[in-house]
Amino acid sequence: MKRFDLEKIRNVALIGHGGSGKTSLGEAMLFASNTSKRLGKVDDDTSVLNFEPEEKSHKLTISTSVATFEYAKHKITLLDTPGYDVFLYDSVCALEAADSAILVVGADGEIKFEAEKMWARCIELNLPRSVFISKLDKDNTDFDATVAHLVDAFPDSTFVTVQRPIGAQSEFAGYIDLMKMKAFTFADESGKGAAGEIPAELADEAQAARDEMIETLVETDDTLMERFFEGDTISDEDLITALRKGIALNMFVPVTCGNSVAAVGTTALLDMITDSLPSPASGGPTVIEGANGEREFTADENGPLAAIVFKTISDPFAGRLNLFRVISGKMTPDASFWNATHETEERIGQMVSMVGKDTTQMTEAGPGDIFAVPKLKATRSGETFCDKKAGLKIPFPEPPESLMSFAVFAINKGDEDKMGQGLKRIIDEDPTLRLTREPQTHEMIVSCMGKLHIDINLERMKRKYNADVGLRTPKVPYRETIKGSTKVQGRHKKQSGGRGQFADTWIEIKPLKRGGDFEFVNKIVGGSIPRQYIPAVEAGVKERLLKGVIAGYPMVDVQVTLYDGKYHDVDSSEMAFKIAGSLGFKKGALECRPVLLEPVQEMIIRVPDENLGDVIGDLNSRRGRVLGMEPGTGVQEVKAHVPLSEVQAYAPDLRSMSSGRGTFSMHFDHYEEIPTQLAEKVISESKLEDEEE
């Protein structure tokens, strides 16, 4: 694709909750711009943007798709982002490459929490926004009610309606352009529409809406406002200028409408993108903190290089593909550039623009350009490319904390290596997936944002890397300890014809304070046990500690004192004393009132005020202890201690209780004794597992 002047570039993210119609709108824009020869549709698997098999089968966007195309002598790059909460970090990352965002909402008026989260992130980034109200042909839809819902959901934003629908639901026929005061009706799926006069029955309504629109737009300019209130006619050109200025300054948010599936309203939306949404130069200089202090980077191809990698895609055949956005400077193929994050040179072989999965070679890229680079060695999402001397790193959003964890295992014997490699590559693509190994249970643990998140990623892994992976609830890493003390003999004697085995030990077992782990004390005097055998006694005790004595879990918070014993000049050995130490500890620990400990998590839960009672009641039912509450603006922050076994699947439950608006984080805090009736259940289950093995 040829280079475009900076003012002719538009980078637009499509945001909104899942099912709102983002991908359908993107498909309609590709069709209306003649980029696609037919109107792609999600429901019949002809979508250009949802091209992954898992996206087709689940009918949802899993990861951000990029489409760069030409329209009206402008270059537009659409970033079609996921709308479901478990994939929302990918959408957050996409905003780092965008210069504006279009919130897509259905005309049913529903604005879900994912849309609210993305809107809030746009405000944090000071990103100009507009709204497209879609699905106006569906039953139970209402344009005015949806606008009212927008006002309620986002009270800090001013919305200005620039289009109104003609007809409603099954009678939806087009829209009125309040800028041009023309009606556009649609007889086919061309996306163009036929311009005509506003129907007489809608004329008064349209004029009132136009007056309201103008009253908002003229607030961008004192002179324009004065002319308006003096009764002067405001030209279409003045209105477009005011709209452009107001959007760039985030003074208001324009609202347009249509039906994406039939491409109704998409040409007008494309016109608004080119006429009114900002170019990469509109936001002013980008300030980046570097090793030598802050530096300003302007959108100048002759300036120093500053570029961000906002997404990584892994493919078993094409290798790794990194998506770049250039802020300043210029990049070319067959050249080396400095990855400041890894402090290493990366050689770029090819650069390609993308429309879904299709690519076109590029000869250079400058400020505002979004493109992909295949087969870089070390580069991942969130990393900075810049001049070597700059020593800077462009800020990038950190992945959210994982909300659920599952133990993973290879379904087919011998596929462990394939599973490991597949997981590594999937995690390269999705930083919200994390892989750890639980040292106590020896399980491989994948942490994720939810069940749908891990299920779809495992589907992709099986398809891409032929690794069939199963899931199960992770074992809770219980521990054992003691509540009493004892003195006990550990004796090992064996005679089998030749040299025998003999070791005799006396140990005292006491509990330590919680968190004391293990302490071994040597009080042997007079050589009752030779010095060289004492480490063997400790080793035998430690070995038994790892196995526990009641349920097979490691034992902690124990002190063992070796204070007496006997040995034989010929039959004693390190192995004999190790066995004696282990036998003595097992026998003594059973006399010390052994109990089971469970891990307790510290949780911080943020929920809307109206959900606080439900959340507190639910925590109580999970044996949780509320430690305190911190009120905020419309939300409450709850701090609690809750046993891990009770919150391994907390994420979907909180989502249900709070309509998706609740968030939480948790981390291990301490171990405490498990109630007797629950301990009995854990012990019996552990014994059953041992029998099965």
Side-chain angles (χ1 to χ4, degrees), residues 310-335:
F310 67 92
K311 183 173 175 61
T312 298
I313 303 168
S314 290
D315 186 271
F317 306 108
R320 190 179 295 114
L321 195 70
N322 286 290
L323 302 185
F324 280 73
R325 158 70 193 259
V326 177
I327 296 169
S328 169
K330 186 165 68 173
M331 299 178 74
T332 57
D334 299 317

PDB file of all heavy atoms in Angstrom, residues 310-335:
ATOM      1  N   PHE A 310       1.784  -3.623  19.715  1.00  0.00           N
ATOM      2  CA  PHE A 310       0.572  -3.699  20.531  1.00  0.00           C
ATOM      3  C   PHE A 310      -0.103  -5.060  20.498  1.00  0.00           C
ATOM      4  O   PHE A 310      -1.056  -5.296  21.238  1.00  0.00           O
ATOM      5  CB  PHE A 310      -0.425  -2.606  20.125  1.00  0.00           C
ATOM      6  CG  PHE A 310      -1.027  -2.752  18.748  1.00  0.00           C
ATOM      7  CD1 PHE A 310      -2.220  -3.420  18.563  1.00  0.00           C
ATOM      8  CD2 PHE A 310      -0.396  -2.212  17.638  1.00  0.00           C
ATOM      9  CE1 PHE A 310      -2.785  -3.553  17.304  1.00  0.00           C
ATOM     10  CE2 PHE A 310      -0.955  -2.331  16.372  1.00  0.00           C
ATOM     11  CZ  PHE A 310      -2.149  -3.006  16.205  1.00  0.00           C
ATOM     12  N   LYS A 311       0.408  -5.982  19.677  1.00  0.00           N
ATOM     13  CA  LYS A 311      -0.187  -7.317  19.641  1.00  0.00           C
ATOM     14  C   LYS A 311       0.787  -8.308  19.021  1.00  0.00           C
ATOM     15  O   LYS A 311       1.533  -7.965  18.096  1.00  0.00           O
ATOM     16  CB  LYS A 311      -1.500  -7.302  18.851  1.00  0.00           C
ATOM     17  CG  LYS A 311      -2.226  -8.649  18.839  1.00  0.00           C
ATOM     18  CD  LYS A 311      -3.586  -8.551  18.200  1.00  0.00           C
ATOM     19  CE  LYS A 311      -4.253  -9.920  18.090  1.00  0.00           C
ATOM     20  NZ  LYS A 311      -4.463 -10.552  19.411  1.00  0.00           N
ATOM     21  N   THR A 312       0.765  -9.538  19.532  1.00  0.00           N
ATOM     22  CA  THR A 312       1.567 -10.630  18.984  1.00  0.00           C
ATOM     23  C   THR A 312       0.645 -11.780  18.607  1.00  0.00           C
ATOM     24  O   THR A 312      -0.253 -12.142  19.375  1.00  0.00           O
ATOM     25  CB  THR A 312       2.613 -11.111  20.001  1.00  0.00           C
ATOM     26  OG1 THR A 312       3.503 -10.038  20.310  1.00  0.00           O
ATOM     27  CG2 THR A 312       3.418 -12.268  19.460  1.00  0.00           C
ATOM     28  N   ILE A 313       0.866 -12.332  17.427  1.00  0.00           N
ATOM     29  CA  ILE A 313       0.094 -13.483  16.940  1.00  0.00           C
ATOM     30  C   ILE A 313       1.086 -14.601  16.636  1.00  0.00           C
ATOM     31  O   ILE A 313       2.129 -14.368  16.021  1.00  0.00           O
ATOM     32  CB  ILE A 313      -0.698 -13.132  15.665  1.00  0.00           C
ATOM     33  CG1 ILE A 313      -1.621 -11.931  15.918  1.00  0.00           C
ATOM     34  CG2 ILE A 313      -1.495 -14.327  15.164  1.00  0.00           C
ATOM     35  CD1 ILE A 313      -2.219 -11.344  14.646  1.00  0.00           C
ATOM     36  N   SER A 314       0.771 -15.824  17.070  1.00  0.00           N
ATOM     37  CA  SER A 314       1.631 -16.970  16.781  1.00  0.00           C
ATOM     38  C   SER A 314       0.938 -17.898  15.805  1.00  0.00           C
ATOM     39  O   SER A 314      -0.268 -18.147  15.911  1.00  0.00           O
ATOM     40  CB  SER A 314       1.976 -17.736  18.061  1.00  0.00           C
ATOM     41  OG  SER A 314       2.840 -16.994  18.876  1.00  0.00           O
ATOM     42  N   ASP A 315       1.713 -18.391  14.855  1.00  0.00           N
ATOM     43  CA  ASP A 315       1.178 -19.306  13.857  1.00  0.00           C
ATOM     44  C   ASP A 315       2.173 -20.449  13.672  1.00  0.00           C
ATOM     45  O   ASP A 315       3.381 -20.204  13.581  1.00  0.00           O
ATOM     46  CB  ASP A 315       0.958 -18.590  12.514  1.00  0.00           C
ATOM     47  CG  ASP A 315       0.269 -19.480  11.502  1.00  0.00           C
ATOM     48  OD1 ASP A 315       0.992 -20.195  10.766  1.00  0.00           O
ATOM     49  OD2 ASP A 315      -0.962 -19.478  11.439  1.00  0.00           O
ATOM     50  N   PRO A 316       1.702 -21.701  13.626  1.00  0.00           N
ATOM     51  CA  PRO A 316       2.644 -22.820  13.520  1.00  0.00           C
ATOM     52  C   PRO A 316       3.420 -22.841  12.211  1.00  0.00           C
ATOM     53  O   PRO A 316       4.490 -23.438  12.131  1.00  0.00           O
ATOM     54  CB  PRO A 316       1.738 -24.055  13.639  1.00  0.00           C
ATOM     55  CG  PRO A 316       0.367 -23.570  13.283  1.00  0.00           C
ATOM     56  CD  PRO A 316       0.310 -22.148  13.714  1.00  0.00           C
ATOM     57  N   PHE A 317       2.898 -22.180  11.177  1.00  0.00           N
ATOM     58  CA  PHE A 317       3.571 -22.187   9.874  1.00  0.00           C
ATOM     59  C   PHE A 317       4.272 -20.864   9.587  1.00  0.00           C
ATOM     60  O   PHE A 317       5.431 -20.826   9.176  1.00  0.00           O
ATOM     61  CB  PHE A 317       2.554 -22.495   8.764  1.00  0.00           C
ATOM     62  CG  PHE A 317       1.786 -23.760   8.994  1.00  0.00           C
ATOM     63  CD1 PHE A 317       0.442 -23.724   9.359  1.00  0.00           C
ATOM     64  CD2 PHE A 317       2.401 -24.996   8.889  1.00  0.00           C
ATOM     65  CE1 PHE A 317      -0.272 -24.883   9.591  1.00  0.00           C
ATOM     66  CE2 PHE A 317       1.697 -26.174   9.131  1.00  0.00           C
ATOM     67  CZ  PHE A 317       0.364 -26.116   9.472  1.00  0.00           C
ATOM     68  N   ALA A 318       3.575 -19.752   9.823  1.00  0.00           N
ATOM     69  CA  ALA A 318       4.158 -18.437   9.528  1.00  0.00           C
ATOM     70  C   ALA A 318       5.058 -17.940  10.645  1.00  0.00           C
ATOM     71  O   ALA A 318       5.801 -16.984  10.471  1.00  0.00           O
ATOM     72  CB  ALA A 318       3.045 -17.422   9.277  1.00  0.00           C
ATOM     73  N   GLY A 319       4.989 -18.585  11.817  1.00  0.00           N
ATOM     74  CA  GLY A 319       5.786 -18.123  12.944  1.00  0.00           C
ATOM     75  C   GLY A 319       5.081 -16.993  13.680  1.00  0.00           C
ATOM     76  O   GLY A 319       3.878 -16.808  13.574  1.00  0.00           O
ATOM     77  N   ARG A 320       5.869 -16.201  14.389  1.00  0.00           N
ATOM     78  CA  ARG A 320       5.307 -15.113  15.191  1.00  0.00           C
ATOM     79  C   ARG A 320       5.104 -13.869  14.341  1.00  0.00           C
ATOM     80  O   ARG A 320       5.945 -13.505  13.525  1.00  0.00           O
ATOM     81  CB  ARG A 320       6.244 -14.803  16.359  1.00  0.00           C
ATOM     82  CG  ARG A 320       5.641 -13.871  17.389  1.00  0.00           C
ATOM     83  CD  ARG A 320       6.607 -13.631  18.534  1.00  0.00           C
ATOM     84  NE  ARG A 320       6.861 -14.848  19.282  1.00  0.00           N
ATOM     85  CZ  ARG A 320       8.036 -15.456  19.337  1.00  0.00           C
ATOM     86  NH1 ARG A 320       9.065 -14.969  18.686  1.00  0.00           N
ATOM     87  NH2 ARG A 320       8.182 -16.558  20.038  1.00  0.00           N
ATOM     88  N   LEU A 321       3.958 -13.207  14.522  1.00  0.00           N
ATOM     89  CA  LEU A 321       3.621 -11.991  13.796  1.00  0.00           C
ATOM     90  C   LEU A 321       3.368 -10.889  14.814  1.00  0.00           C
ATOM     91  O   LEU A 321       2.542 -11.051  15.712  1.00  0.00           O
ATOM     92  CB  LEU A 321       2.369 -12.222  12.947  1.00  0.00           C
ATOM     93  CG  LEU A 321       2.042 -11.211  11.846  1.00  0.00           C
ATOM     94  CD1 LEU A 321       3.055 -11.312  10.719  1.00  0.00           C
ATOM     95  CD2 LEU A 321       0.642 -11.458  11.298  1.00  0.00           C
ATOM     96  N   ASN A 322       4.101  -9.773  14.708  1.00  0.00           N
ATOM     97  CA  ASN A 322       3.944  -8.662  15.639  1.00  0.00           C
ATOM     98  C   ASN A 322       3.308  -7.471  14.938  1.00  0.00           C
ATOM     99  O   ASN A 322       3.715  -7.102  13.828  1.00  0.00           O
ATOM    100  CB  ASN A 322       5.302  -8.248  16.210  1.00  0.00           C
ATOM    101  CG  ASN A 322       5.822  -9.234  17.233  1.00  0.00           C
ATOM    102  OD1 ASN A 322       5.282  -9.334  18.328  1.00  0.00           O
ATOM    103  ND2 ASN A 322       6.866  -9.969  16.887  1.00  0.00           N
ATOM    104  N   LEU A 323       2.309  -6.860  15.605  1.00  0.00           N
ATOM    105  CA  LEU A 323       1.626  -5.694  15.061  1.00  0.00           C
ATOM    106  C   LEU A 323       2.216  -4.421  15.663  1.00  0.00           C
ATOM    107  O   LEU A 323       2.278  -4.285  16.891  1.00  0.00           O
ATOM    108  CB  LEU A 323       0.128  -5.762  15.345  1.00  0.00           C
ATOM    109  CG  LEU A 323      -0.609  -6.999  14.813  1.00  0.00           C
ATOM    110  CD1 LEU A 323      -2.105  -6.874  15.053  1.00  0.00           C
ATOM    111  CD2 LEU A 323      -0.339  -7.220  13.343  1.00  0.00           C
ATOM    112  N   PHE A 324       2.633  -3.503  14.792  1.00  0.00           N
ATOM    113  CA  PHE A 324       3.306  -2.270  15.195  1.00  0.00           C
ATOM    114  C   PHE A 324       2.412  -1.063  14.958  1.00  0.00           C
ATOM    115  O   PHE A 324       1.584  -1.048  14.050  1.00  0.00           O
ATOM    116  CB  PHE A 324       4.571  -2.055  14.353  1.00  0.00           C
ATOM    117  CG  PHE A 324       5.771  -2.842  14.785  1.00  0.00           C
ATOM    118  CD1 PHE A 324       5.839  -4.212  14.570  1.00  0.00           C
ATOM    119  CD2 PHE A 324       6.843  -2.221  15.388  1.00  0.00           C
ATOM    120  CE1 PHE A 324       6.951  -4.941  14.941  1.00  0.00           C
ATOM    121  CE2 PHE A 324       7.964  -2.933  15.767  1.00  0.00           C
ATOM    122  CZ  PHE A 324       8.023  -4.300  15.542  1.00  0.00           C
ATOM    123  N   ARG A 325       2.647  -0.024  15.752  1.00  0.00           N
ATOM    124  CA  ARG A 325       2.133   1.318  15.483  1.00  0.00           C
ATOM    125  C   ARG A 325       3.315   2.273  15.623  1.00  0.00           C
ATOM    126  O   ARG A 325       3.966   2.322  16.671  1.00  0.00           O
ATOM    127  CB  ARG A 325       1.024   1.685  16.462  1.00  0.00           C
ATOM    128  CG  ARG A 325       0.763   3.201  16.639  1.00  0.00           C
ATOM    129  CD  ARG A 325       0.135   3.849  15.406  1.00  0.00           C
ATOM    130  NE  ARG A 325       0.178   5.299  15.489  1.00  0.00           N
ATOM    131  CZ  ARG A 325      -0.857   6.080  15.844  1.00  0.00           C
ATOM    132  NH1 ARG A 325      -2.007   5.528  16.160  1.00  0.00           N
ATOM    133  NH2 ARG A 325      -0.729   7.388  15.866  1.00  0.00           N
ATOM    134  N   VAL A 326       3.592   3.042  14.566  1.00  0.00           N
ATOM    135  CA  VAL A 326       4.681   4.017  14.599  1.00  0.00           C
ATOM    136  C   VAL A 326       4.144   5.339  15.141  1.00  0.00           C
ATOM    137  O   VAL A 326       3.113   5.840  14.682  1.00  0.00           O
ATOM    138  CB  VAL A 326       5.293   4.217  13.199  1.00  0.00           C
ATOM    139  CG1 VAL A 326       6.383   5.291  13.243  1.00  0.00           C
ATOM    140  CG2 VAL A 326       5.872   2.908  12.675  1.00  0.00           C
ATOM    141  N   ILE A 327       4.855   5.907  16.098  1.00  0.00           N
ATOM    142  CA  ILE A 327       4.503   7.215  16.660  1.00  0.00           C
ATOM    143  C   ILE A 327       5.329   8.311  15.996  1.00  0.00           C
ATOM    144  O   ILE A 327       4.825   9.370  15.637  1.00  0.00           O
ATOM    145  CB  ILE A 327       4.730   7.213  18.186  1.00  0.00           C
ATOM    146  CG1 ILE A 327       3.778   6.213  18.844  1.00  0.00           C
ATOM    147  CG2 ILE A 327       4.534   8.618  18.771  1.00  0.00           C
ATOM    148  CD1 ILE A 327       4.088   5.939  20.294  1.00  0.00           C
ATOM    149  N   SER A 328       6.613   8.036  15.828  1.00  0.00           N
ATOM    150  CA  SER A 328       7.526   9.014  15.233  1.00  0.00           C
ATOM    151  C   SER A 328       8.589   8.259  14.446  1.00  0.00           C
ATOM    152  O   SER A 328       8.877   7.089  14.727  1.00  0.00           O
ATOM    153  CB  SER A 328       8.171   9.859  16.339  1.00  0.00           C
ATOM    154  OG  SER A 328       9.235  10.640  15.844  1.00  0.00           O
ATOM    155  N   GLY A 329       9.177   8.934  13.455  1.00  0.00           N
ATOM    156  CA  GLY A 329      10.234   8.310  12.679  1.00  0.00           C
ATOM    157  C   GLY A 329       9.705   7.435  11.556  1.00  0.00           C
ATOM    158  O   GLY A 329       8.524   7.506  11.189  1.00  0.00           O
ATOM    159  N   LYS A 330      10.589   6.584  11.049  1.00  0.00           N
ATOM    160  CA  LYS A 330      10.233   5.773   9.890  1.00  0.00           C
ATOM    161  C   LYS A 330      10.890   4.405  10.011  1.00  0.00           C
ATOM    162  O   LYS A 330      11.996   4.277  10.528  1.00  0.00           O
ATOM    163  CB  LYS A 330      10.690   6.476   8.604  1.00  0.00           C
ATOM    164  CG  LYS A 330      10.242   5.784   7.319  1.00  0.00           C
ATOM    165  CD  LYS A 330      10.399   6.700   6.113  1.00  0.00           C
ATOM    166  CE  LYS A 330      11.832   6.995   5.780  1.00  0.00           C
ATOM    167  NZ  LYS A 330      11.955   7.763   4.505  1.00  0.00           N
ATOM    168  N   MET A 331      10.189   3.373   9.522  1.00  0.00           N
ATOM    169  CA  MET A 331      10.729   2.009   9.500  1.00  0.00           C
ATOM    170  C   MET A 331      10.620   1.459   8.091  1.00  0.00           C
ATOM    171  O   MET A 331       9.670   1.773   7.361  1.00  0.00           O
ATOM    172  CB  MET A 331       9.967   1.105  10.490  1.00  0.00           C
ATOM    173  CG  MET A 331      10.066   1.564  11.931  1.00  0.00           C
ATOM    174  SD  MET A 331       9.117   0.535  13.096  1.00  0.00           S
ATOM    175  CE  MET A 331      10.157  -0.937  13.146  1.00  0.00           C
ATOM    176  N   THR A 332      11.603   0.651   7.715  1.00  0.00           N
ATOM    177  CA  THR A 332      11.634   0.056   6.376  1.00  0.00           C
ATOM    178  C   THR A 332      11.983  -1.422   6.491  1.00  0.00           C
ATOM    179  O   THR A 332      12.600  -1.852   7.473  1.00  0.00           O
ATOM    180  CB  THR A 332      12.682   0.749   5.488  1.00  0.00           C
ATOM    181  OG1 THR A 332      13.964   0.669   6.132  1.00  0.00           O
ATOM    182  CG2 THR A 332      12.324   2.202   5.238  1.00  0.00           C
ATOM    183  N   PRO A 333      11.606  -2.231   5.482  1.00  0.00           N
ATOM    184  CA  PRO A 333      11.997  -3.646   5.491  1.00  0.00           C
ATOM    185  C   PRO A 333      13.503  -3.787   5.297  1.00  0.00           C
ATOM    186  O   PRO A 333      14.200  -2.845   4.914  1.00  0.00           O
ATOM    187  CB  PRO A 333      11.228  -4.230   4.302  1.00  0.00           C
ATOM    188  CG  PRO A 333      10.235  -3.203   3.890  1.00  0.00           C
ATOM    189  CD  PRO A 333      10.774  -1.888   4.317  1.00  0.00           C
ATOM    190  N   ASP A 334      13.984  -4.987   5.565  1.00  0.00           N
ATOM    191  CA  ASP A 334      15.398  -5.326   5.370  1.00  0.00           C
ATOM    192  C   ASP A 334      16.314  -4.344   6.090  1.00  0.00           C
ATOM    193  O   ASP A 334      17.311  -3.856   5.546  1.00  0.00           O
ATOM    194  CB  ASP A 334      15.743  -5.376   3.873  1.00  0.00           C
ATOM    195  CG  ASP A 334      14.933  -6.433   3.139  1.00  0.00           C
ATOM    196  OD1 ASP A 334      14.785  -7.538   3.684  1.00  0.00           O
ATOM    197  OD2 ASP A 334      14.426  -6.139   2.043  1.00  0.00           O
ATOM    198  N   ALA A 335      15.947  -4.037   7.336  1.00  0.00           N
ATOM    199  CA  ALA A 335      16.750  -3.128   8.146  1.00  0.00           C
ATOM    200  C   ALA A 335      16.660  -3.566   9.600  1.00  0.00           C
ATOM    201  O   ALA A 335      15.725  -4.276  10.002  1.00  0.00           O
ATOM    202  CB  ALA A 335      16.271  -1.689   7.990  1.00  0.00           C
TER     203      ALA A 335
END
